[in-house]
């Protein structure tokens, strides 16, 4: 049974994320260089819309402190501080609110995965094969790992404190919280879905290559 619907005014780039207090954040496409995050209240009223520099990669991630995190094609990690009273970030309308998003220093290459918030840090992968671990508040780099090809899947938290990422050349890596390699396995095709882990198994989807006839 449908409870309610809301016209976002543009096509979503990814699925909605429900954060603290039931607020719903949805990334929307604006143009090739920018994105917009729409924040909808649980009672289906628009809380605000927020411009993001660059295309948002994948979806958003909700933090326990009521912030929303994302990564962009411009090599940045961003944090939407919509609940900051000092910034007056709840516009209550369709006006795009400025100053409510903080960014990391741009990396030299694009991010290719959404962020993972885990164990007090933020993890994300880039097109040059780098997986970064950052302080989620200051965006200070804590450590990094470099794979031989672009990170195309993950990062996701696995059993026993693992960080799982997949690459364009088909390698699935299990990394420690300090981003050292626990193990790796070549799956034979590009890893495209976020790895899903249980206590005794890890599953992911691969890109199948078929030649024409």
């Amino acid at each position: 049974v449908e409870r309610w619907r809301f016209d976002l005014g543009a096509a979503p780039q990814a699925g909605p994320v429900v954060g603290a207090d039931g607020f719903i954040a949805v990334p929307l496409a604006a143009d090739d260089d920018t994105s917009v995050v729409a924040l909808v209240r649980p009672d289906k009223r628009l809380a605000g819309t927020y411009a993001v520099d660059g295309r948002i990669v994948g979806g958003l991630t909700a933090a326990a402190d009521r912030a929303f995190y994302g990564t962009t094609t411009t090599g940045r990690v961003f944090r939407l501080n919509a609940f900051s009273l000092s910034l007056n970030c709840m516009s209550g309308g369709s006006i795009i609110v400025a100053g409510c998003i903080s960014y990391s220093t741009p990396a030299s290459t694009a991010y290719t995965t959404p962020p993972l918030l885990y164990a007090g840090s933020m993890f994300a992968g880039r097109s040059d094969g780098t997986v970064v671990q950052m302080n989620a508040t200051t965006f200070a780099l804590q450590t990094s790992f470099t794979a031989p090809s672009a990170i195309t899947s993950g990062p996701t938290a696995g059993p026993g404190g693992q960080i799982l990422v997949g690459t364009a050349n088909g390698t699935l890596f299990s990394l420690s919280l300090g981003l050292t390699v626990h193990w790796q396995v070549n799956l034979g095709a590009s890893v495209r879905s976020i790895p899903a882990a249980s206590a005794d198994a890890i599953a992911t989807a691969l890109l199948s290559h078929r030649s024409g006839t």
Side-chain angles (χ1 to χ4, degrees), residues 83-107:
F83 292 89
S84 174
L85 296 177
S86 62
L87 295 174
N88 191 27
C89 291
M90 295 289 184
S91 65
S94 59
I95 298 173
I96 292 179
V97 182
C100 300
I101 292 180
S102 52
Y103 294 92
S104 66
T105 301

Side-chain angles (χ1 to χ4, degrees), residues 4-197:
W4 53 265
R5 67 178 64 187
F6 186 84
D7 184 3
L8 295 168
Q13 287 184 238
V17 173
V18 181
D21 303 328
F23 280 70
I24 304 161
V26 186
L28 308 176
D31 55 42
D32 290 340
D33 299 317
T34 59
S35 301
V36 170
V37 175
L39 189 63
V40 181
R41 298 175 185 268
D43 59 3
K44 76 173 183 178
R45 290 185 297 149
L46 184 67
T49 53
Y50 310 88
V52 176
D53 176 23
R55 298 279 295 206
I56 296 173
V57 178
L60 302 171
T61 300
D65 64 356
R66 302 167 63 173
F68 292 92
Y69 287 78
T71 56
T72 73
T73 55
T74 56
R76 289 179 167 185
V77 178
F78 69 89
R79 180 175 60 251
L80 170 58
N81 307 295
F83 292 89
S84 174
L85 296 177
S86 62
L87 295 174
N88 191 27
C89 291
M90 295 289 184
S91 65
S94 59
I95 298 173
I96 292 179
V97 182
C100 300
I101 292 180
S102 52
Y103 294 92
S104 66
T105 301
S108 58
T109 56
Y111 280 94
T112 48
T113 75
L116 167 70
L117 297 174
Y118 183 57
S121 296
M122 193 221 68
F123 302 84
R126 299 204 302 251
S127 62
D128 62 355
T130 301
V131 179
V132 296
Q133 179 181 2
M134 291 181 173
N135 181 294
T137 302
T138 65
F139 297 131
L141 180 66
Q142 295 172 324
T143 190
S144 64
F145 163 79
T146 302
S149 63
I151 305 299
T152 53
S153 173
T156 191
Q162 300 176 74
I163 303 297
L164 302 169
V165 295
T167 67
N169 73 352
T171 304
L172 179 66
F173 288 93
S174 168
L175 307 174
S176 71
L177 289 178
L179 297 187
T180 59
V181 178
H182 277 314
W183 52 260
Q184 66 188 76
V185 59
N186 193 299
L187 300 175
S190 181
V191 184
R192 291 300 178 185
S193 73
I194 296 176

